[in-house]
Amino acid sequence: EVQLVQSGAEVKKPGESLRISCKGSGYSFTSYWISWVRQMPGKGLEWMGRIDPSDSYTNYSPSFQGHVTISADKSISTAYLQWSSLKASDTAMYYCARLKAAAGRSFHFDYWGQGTLVTVSS
Amino acid sequence: QSALTQPASVSGSPGQSITISCTGTSSDVGSYNLVSWYQQHPGKAPKLMIYEGSKRPSGVSNRFSGSKSGNTASLTISGLQAEDEADYYCCSYAGSSTFGVFGTGTKVTVL
């Protein structure tokens, strides 16, 4: 059974750093990209970026480029999303999702993690 | 890259059919047959309902169907049921620089 299990909820102060995780199981972790998706309170889904766990190549949405870093450790089948300096506006639910993509032929998120709630407040 | 445009809400009675539109541009929806649709119940993670425009993953009811015309994709739910009440989001591939863009989301209410 394919599963993506995310780390638990976090409460941080503005300016602090944070790394959240997403562990894949039940499939070959290096055969599928992992994406991160933000959902701010009461708002819609926003695609943040993706990583190819086989070589750690990343792409970011222009809206998130430079604000977050996506990484992966294929030896433990885990992807990460990290911030170096959090802002109150980073308060949101963050989902990881397995991205099935092939140039021009497929692009969809077939499995999702349960979400990690990040709250940034002074 | 702007979000794809969806109606904020759509409603229908049990047994009826409803259609949710997802309007993009010639750079995303219009250029690729790579629109997917996701159902999200309150407090839950999204679930893939339709991919590559009209394909259903295993386990998804055949009451859900997808189509596309020009820059607009559509999701139709036939035989509306109470369990279909949820938020629905479309998503399109938008090229190798932008990659993915989601729709604004539609709240489906079963009357």
Side-chain angles (χ1 to χ4, degrees), chain A residues 3-4 13 35 43 50 55 70 78 95 106-107 117-118:
Chain A
Q3 283 192 310
L4 296 173
K13 290 181 166 43
S35 268
K43 301 299 183 181
R50 68 94 181 175
D55 60 9
I70 297 172
T78 301
Y95 294 100
S106 63
F107 186 89
L117 180 62
V118 173

Side-chain angles (χ1 to χ4, degrees), chain A residues 4-63:
Chain A
L4 296 173
V5 178
Q6 298 184 227
S7 49
E10 301 274 0
V11 179
K12 292 289 190 178
K13 290 181 166 43
E16 291 186 332
S17 63
L18 174 65
R19 188 177 77 167
I20 61 176
S21 66
C22 168
K23 183 174 177 60
S25 63
Y27 73 101
S28 172
F29 188 69
T30 54
S31 296
Y32 295 84
W33 300 349
I34 293 288
S35 268
W36 288 94
V37 176
R38 182 176 78 173
Q39 188 167 37
M40 299 178 76
K43 301 299 183 181
L45 304 174
E46 299 173 89
W47 184 77
M48 301 177 70
R50 68 94 181 175
I51 187 165
D52 181 343
S54 68
D55 60 9
S56 290
Y57 184 80
T58 54
N59 291 97
Y60 294 90
S61 163
S63 300

Side-chain angles (χ1 to χ4, degrees), chain A residues 33 37 39 43-47 50 59-60 95 104-110 112-113, chain B residues 34 36 38 40 44-46 48 51-52 89 91-93 96-100 102-103:
Chain A
W33 300 349
V37 176
Q39 188 167 37
K43 301 299 183 181
L45 304 174
E46 299 173 89
W47 184 77
R50 68 94 181 175
N59 291 97
Y60 294 90
Y95 294 100
R105 300 195 307 275
S106 63
F107 186 89
H108 55 273
F109 310 100
D110 58 355
W112 293 69
Chain B
L34 294 177
S36 49
Y38 303 86
Q40 187 180 34
K44 300 295 186 181
L48 177 66
Y51 66 99
E52 293 171 16
Y89 295 90
C91 181
S92 177
Y93 180 66
S96 58
S97 56
T98 306
F99 262 82
F102 279 99

